[in-house]
Amino acid sequence: MTSDAHGGGGLELRLRPVAASVPLDRIAFGEVELVAVGDAPGPVSARLNIVEGDLEISVTPAGGTPVRAAWPWPVDSAPRSLVLAPGERLVACVPLLAAGSVPLFPVPGRYELLARFAARPGLTLESNPVALVRTAAHDAALAAGLGDRDVLQSLLGAGVIGAASPKLEQLADSSDAGTAAAANLALGRTDALAEAADDPAVARAVAALLPPGATGPDERRDAVVPRAGARDAAVLSGKPLGEEAQRAVPEPQRWDGRE
């Protein structure tokens, strides 16, 4: 068992923030893996996203109360399952953006992240806690945009809601590829996504906000697939990733409870 996973039923759940430290004017993303570590773990839920309810990400500030990274709207979807061969993993990217319609990280600080996943009836897996540091914003206007209700709902809904367009336009000019991609996704700018698709952050943002299986066919997702690496292509498709295609990722910072 690795330091970032708790297991059961021949499976482990792993969580890491894509970046260990993210300023508040950028969107934070997390990567979740469901790994088959035993022989023939059997069917597991394919709903490895925070839209459909099988996956939960809790966020706790130092000395504070946990909140849940959540979609603003209820989703009623049918169960989906798949079978992982030994050594295979299901990989997903999730937006660490909002608790419903309010910012998930309201102030700078060190936060604990914890994932739970209902892998199948009677088996819920839990990751070990990992740390994400949110630092002060470099750009106050962009940070204000990421605190706006209409903007949060637009980013999570991958479309413009209410009066969000001007602030989404600002976010689309962010120097951070993932933040810009999320805004371009909401603004429907397929060409801009395709042009930036060489950056893995773009594929991760699109996969997080248009999670495969939870959302139908979409030309914006299709635009980044041809230039995605093997791991990111698997995240975009929702298909298991074999050991031969896995790439090394940084070890997450385990939560130690200190500021």
Side-chain angles (χ1 to χ4, degrees):
M1 183 178 296
T2 65
S3 63
D4 59 330
H6 284 172
L11 298 162
E12 286 182 353
L13 185 66
R14 301 175 181 174
L15 169 69
R16 72 176 188 98
V18 170
S21 178
V22 183
L24 288 174
D25 56 352
R26 299 182 176 188
I27 300 173
F29 294 94
E31 198 170 81
V32 184
E33 293 185 349
L34 180 66
V35 186
V37 294
D39 294 334
V44 297
S45 171
R47 305 196 311 175
L48 194 64
N49 58 72
I50 61 171
V51 180
E52 297 177 282
D54 287 355
L55 177 68
E56 297 181 5
I57 308 290
S58 67
V59 175
T60 308
T65 302
V67 296
R68 180 179 168 186
W71 228 247
W73 312 280
V75 173
D76 184 15
S77 63
R80 301 189 315 280
S81 64
L82 54 78
V83 175
L84 295 175
E88 283 190 330
R89 63 190 66 196
L90 185 62
V91 186
C93 198
V94 294
L96 301 173
L97 181 60
S101 297
V102 299
L104 190 59
F105 304 98
V107 296
R110 187 175 176 89
Y111 292 82
E112 172 191 324
L113 308 180
L114 183 74
R116 295 182 181 86
F117 183 58
R120 56 174 170 260
L123 178 62
T124 296
L125 304 174
E126 185 174 287
S127 73
N128 274 354
V130 293
L132 172 62
V133 176
R134 299 307 306 261
T135 58
H138 299 158
D139 187 311
L142 296 185
L146 290 174
D148 182 273
R149 178 186 177 93
D150 285 353
V151 171
L152 292 174
Q153 292 192 345
S154 296
L155 292 169
L156 290 172
V160 178
I161 292 176
S165 287
K167 292 177 181 177
L168 289 171
E169 295 279 359
Q170 291 179 316
L171 290 166
D173 288 332
S174 171
S175 61
D176 176 63
T179 300
N184 281 320
L185 185 67
L187 291 165
R189 294 177 174 166
T190 303
D191 290 345
L193 294 169
E195 289 171 7
D198 284 338
D199 192 322
V202 175
R204 293 171 191 151
V206 172
L209 295 164
L210 286 178
T215 55
D218 196 295
E219 65 177 9
R220 295 168 295 176
R221 188 195 297 118
D222 295 341
V224 303
V225 170
R227 294 164 66 183
R231 184 182 179 88
D232 293 326
V235 175
L236 286 161
S237 70
K239 295 179 180 178
L241 186 66
E243 288 184 283
E244 72 284 352
Q246 294 166 21
R247 63 171 176 81
V249 297
E251 281 293 315
Q253 293 187 352
R254 292 195 65 184
W255 172 253
D256 59 14
R258 296 178 295 179
E259 285 291 344

